[in-house]
Amino acid sequence: MKAGFSIFKSTAFSLLLIVLVCATVLVWAWQRTPLLSAFLPPDSLLQLSPDKDNQPVLTVGRNGTAETSTGLVEAEVKHDQKMETNLKTDVQIMEFAPPERSENTSSTTGKEQYNENVNDQGSCNYAKGKWVLDDSWPLYSGFHCNKWLSRMWACRLMQRKDFTYEKLRWQPKNCQMEEFEVSKFLERMRDKTLAFVGDSLGRQQFQSLMCMITGGKESHGVIDVGKEYGLVMPHGGSRPNGWAYWFSSTNTTVLYYWSTCLCDLEPINTTNPETDYAMHLDRPPGFLRQFLHKLDVLVLNTGHHWNRGKLKANRWVMYVGGMPNTNRRLAMIGDAKNFTIHSIVNWVNSQLPKHPHLKAFYRSISPRHFVNGDWNTGGSCDNTTPMSIGKEVLQDESSDYSAGNAVKGTGVKLLDITALSQLRDEGHISHYSTTASKGVHDCLHWCLPGVPDTWNEILFAHISATSVINS
């Protein structure tokens, strides 16, 4: 019996020794062999991690969803890289594909380098950072900007009672973003024109900037020059196609042109008031073709009108190459939108050598925050607590894959506001709207003052950085 136990003990010891030796060899091989390391999960698939204040941090993986402690928050743009690849492959075989990108890119020679948070061009990645409370905010009063601010977005004039959302300021990580000052902005835009071209979120950014520049006050030195750009009230219309204002003190013009899809629209039958409209996916809006030479800073955006309901309601028919679209892939709304974004970016990029003074930006999509439905199916956004989703963005790449991919290799810069805005679900109009039907929430547009002010701060920082480069 003792002999049997001794043999068993010796065998067990031998097996243990063999296991330890094998484990050591495997660990050594794993560290030395790149092929094995390839099976590790990629670092870019970031996970949620608390910051030093135990606040959730927004991190975005390659699937385009933002993860926080509250679960998955759906981004407006899903990063379907397979769809993007299929679209680009299809575009390459089309004779009517957008023009090839020119090699015109902005030089960064002589630009100040920051500590860590820099992009490939050596400039600050303003989209990476966190929201902080700042009692000196907002930059203007929501009560007194009636001249420039639409009442439907002025939450101070509604029944909303909480305004902590106005006190949040964006702080980029490990690099300095120049604070917005009216005098500095006007001086850097002296003898220049800044244009926003896009949808209602572009209009919000325009109104935000007008309030920031004027402080909400009317002035005899701010003159309506919309007629110079064809921005007049159409016969029987409820509003013009945009607005333009000239600041006489510095000969600065700030304008907005309404273009929800960023492509050219024209009536198919000019004699029929009920005609459909050709939606030219590969042709920039006529406004840009006519006035691009007068612009010094251009900010483009589109996104939220790309759905079947909007196309049907507006009687838009997709056209490519001057003919009705017959490509099945472009018949898909997401593919058509991506094709249009690439087309407009490529076209602007092709124009930059002709207009070396022009600085062009494409603004990434502004996220929606509907919960338990959409705007017409009971969706809501009742949260009023700032930073309840999270307060920090750590990712390096944009959450708007389509926008980020479109500007790569061009002289058009990305104004990336998606992830930082994703954290601000408490900043929407919500159910406080004075114009919406009862029970309908606006979880798309923002209260002003609010999040779009930060978009303009980042835009100002880009303009300032460009001024340093060119000086």
Side-chain angles (χ1 to χ4, degrees), residues 29 44 145 153 167 237 244 259 328 351 375 404 428 441 457 459 463:
S44 59
C145 197
W153 297 331
K167 296 292 185 180
S259 179
R328 291 183 178 180
Q351 301 300 304
W375 69 272
H428 289 293
H441 287 226
E457 271 208 306
L459 175 62
I463 294 172

Side-chain angles (χ1 to χ4, degrees), residues 397-408:
E397 298 295 324
S398 174
S399 297
D400 188 345
Y401 177 79
S402 296
N405 193 53
V407 301
K408 284 183 179 178

Side-chain angles (χ1 to χ4, degrees), residues 207-417:
Q207 292 191 1
S208 161
L209 184 59
M210 288 300 298
C211 289
M212 290 168 67
I213 300 172
T214 63
K217 301 175 182 178
E218 292 191 46
S219 170
H220 294 297
V222 183
I223 301 169
D224 186 342
V225 292
K227 289 184 179 180
E228 295 181 17
Y229 296 89
L231 305 176
V232 295
M233 186 75 71
H235 180 70
S238 58
R239 65 186 175 202
N241 289 329
W243 295 264
Y245 294 98
W246 177 61
F247 292 78
S248 59
S249 61
T250 55
N251 190 29
T252 301
T253 300
V254 178
L255 68 85
Y256 163 76
Y257 177 74
W258 181 275
S259 179
T260 57
C261 61
L262 277 187
C263 54
D264 200 25
L265 295 170
E266 64 176 1
I268 295 175
N269 183 354
T270 56
T271 63
N272 180 7
E274 301 299 322
T275 185
D276 290 340
Y277 286 81
M279 182 184 188
H280 295 281
L281 304 185
D282 57 346
R283 187 187 300 173
F287 176 86
L288 284 179
R289 299 199 305 272
Q290 183 177 357
F291 294 107
L292 189 68
H293 68 284
K294 299 184 67 173
L295 309 181
D296 298 280
V297 178
L298 172 63
V299 183
L300 303 164
N301 93 282
T302 188
H304 294 291
H305 281 253
W306 289 89
N307 60 72
R308 291 292 176 190
K310 293 289 187 182
L311 265 65
K312 184 177 180 180
N314 291 316
R315 304 193 301 276
W316 292 345
V317 180
M318 293 184 192
Y319 272 55
V320 181
M323 301 293 292
N325 174 55
T326 57
N327 185 282
R328 291 183 178 180
R329 285 179 181 162
L330 291 186
M332 302 296 291
I333 295 294
D335 285 359
K337 182 196 73 173
N338 290 341
F339 179 81
T340 299
I341 293 173
H342 280 75
S343 294
I344 186 68
V345 168
N346 286 346
W347 179 82
V348 171
N349 185 64
S350 72
Q351 301 300 304
L352 293 180
K354 305 174 188 176
H355 310 292
H357 61 279
L358 176 62
K359 306 302 175 185
F361 299 86
Y362 183 87
R363 203 209 72 216
S364 65
I365 199 164
S366 172
R368 310 180 332 151
H369 289 93
F370 288 97
V371 177
N372 298 324
D374 212 322
W375 69 272
N376 57 348
T377 57
S380 62
C381 46
D382 291 319
N383 177 47
T384 58
T385 305
M387 299 183 288
S388 59
I389 290 180
K391 77 175 191 178
E392 189 168 10
V393 175
L394 295 178
Q395 69 206 50
D396 292 313
E397 298 295 324
S398 174
S399 297
D400 188 345
Y401 177 79
S402 296
N405 193 53
V407 301
K408 284 183 179 178
T410 76
V412 179
K413 294 183 178 295
L414 182 66
L415 185 61
D416 188 12
I417 56 86

Side-chain angles (χ1 to χ4, degrees), residues 11-291:
T11 302
F13 177 77
S14 298
L15 289 173
L16 178 61
L17 184 60
I18 291 171
V19 169
L20 289 173
V21 171
C22 291
T24 302
V25 171
L26 284 173
V27 169
W28 177 84
W30 186 277
Q31 293 176 340
R32 299 280 294 181
T33 308
L35 178 61
L36 293 175
S37 300
F39 293 96
L40 287 170
D43 294 336
S44 59
L45 295 179
L46 303 175
Q47 300 297 321
L48 175 69
S49 58
D51 68 1
K52 63 182 179 180
D53 299 321
N54 295 320
Q55 291 289 334
V57 176
L58 179 73
T59 55
V60 178
R62 289 178 182 170
N63 64 347
T65 53
E67 292 190 13
T68 67
S69 59
T70 60
L72 290 177
V73 181
E74 292 186 0
E76 177 66 18
V77 175
K78 296 184 178 179
H79 308 171
D80 192 344
Q81 297 190 25
K82 182 178 180 180
M83 179 182 74
E84 187 83 13
T85 301
N86 290 339
L87 175 62
K88 292 201 300 185
T89 301
D90 199 62
V91 167
Q92 289 173 359
I93 65 175
M94 293 178 173
E95 294 181 359
F96 46 78
E100 294 184 2
R101 292 169 176 158
S102 67
E103 296 301 319
N104 179 34
T105 54
S106 298
S107 170
T108 56
T109 304
K111 186 170 182 179
E112 178 183 358
Q113 298 291 316
Y114 298 92
N115 295 333
E116 298 178 21
N117 183 21
V118 296
N119 57 25
D120 293 340
Q121 289 74 42
S123 58
C124 179
N125 181 2
Y126 299 116
K128 186 177 180 180
K130 65 181 179 180
W131 290 102
V132 296
L133 287 170
D134 189 334
D135 288 335
S136 67
W137 274 58
L139 300 176
Y140 57 91
S141 169
F143 287 113
H144 307 302
C145 197
N146 301 332
K147 172 67 176 178
W148 324 109
L149 179 57
S150 297
R151 190 177 181 87
M152 61 183 174
W153 297 331
C155 289
R156 282 281 183 176
L157 303 181
M158 302 178 189
Q159 295 182 5
R160 185 164 182 163
K161 302 299 182 184
D162 59 287
F163 299 100
T164 308
Y165 67 89
E166 292 185 348
K167 296 292 185 180
L168 266 64
R169 174 177 58 81
W170 182 249
Q171 181 175 298
K173 183 178 178 65
N174 295 331
C175 61
Q176 187 68 32
M177 183 169 73
E178 186 170 359
E179 293 184 9
F180 182 90
E181 293 183 16
V182 176
S183 59
K184 288 184 178 180
F185 175 84
L186 289 175
E187 188 57 40
R188 283 172 186 159
M189 288 300 298
R190 178 178 291 276
D191 302 322
K192 294 179 174 60
T193 297
L194 186 157
F196 296 98
V197 178
D199 57 21
S200 56
L201 276 304
R203 183 183 172 193
Q204 281 209 302
Q205 189 174 2
F206 161 73
Q207 292 191 1
S208 161
L209 184 59
M210 288 300 298
C211 289
M212 290 168 67
I213 300 172
T214 63
K217 301 175 182 178
E218 292 191 46
S219 170
H220 294 297
V222 183
I223 301 169
D224 186 342
V225 292
K227 289 184 179 180
E228 295 181 17
Y229 296 89
L231 305 176
V232 295
M233 186 75 71
H235 180 70
S238 58
R239 65 186 175 202
N241 289 329
W243 295 264
Y245 294 98
W246 177 61
F247 292 78
S248 59
S249 61
T250 55
N251 190 29
T252 301
T253 300
V254 178
L255 68 85
Y256 163 76
Y257 177 74
W258 181 275
S259 179
T260 57
C261 61
L262 277 187
C263 54
D264 200 25
L265 295 170
E266 64 176 1
I268 295 175
N269 183 354
T270 56
T271 63
N272 180 7
E274 301 299 322
T275 185
D276 290 340
Y277 286 81
M279 182 184 188
H280 295 281
L281 304 185
D282 57 346
R283 187 187 300 173
F287 176 86
L288 284 179
R289 299 199 305 272
Q290 183 177 357
F291 294 107

Side-chain angles (χ1 to χ4, degrees), residues 424-440:
R424 298 297 308 280
D425 65 319
E426 90 294 348
H428 289 293
I429 306 296
S430 187
H431 62 278
Y432 301 103
S433 173
T434 58
T435 59
S437 302
K438 185 178 181 180
V440 175

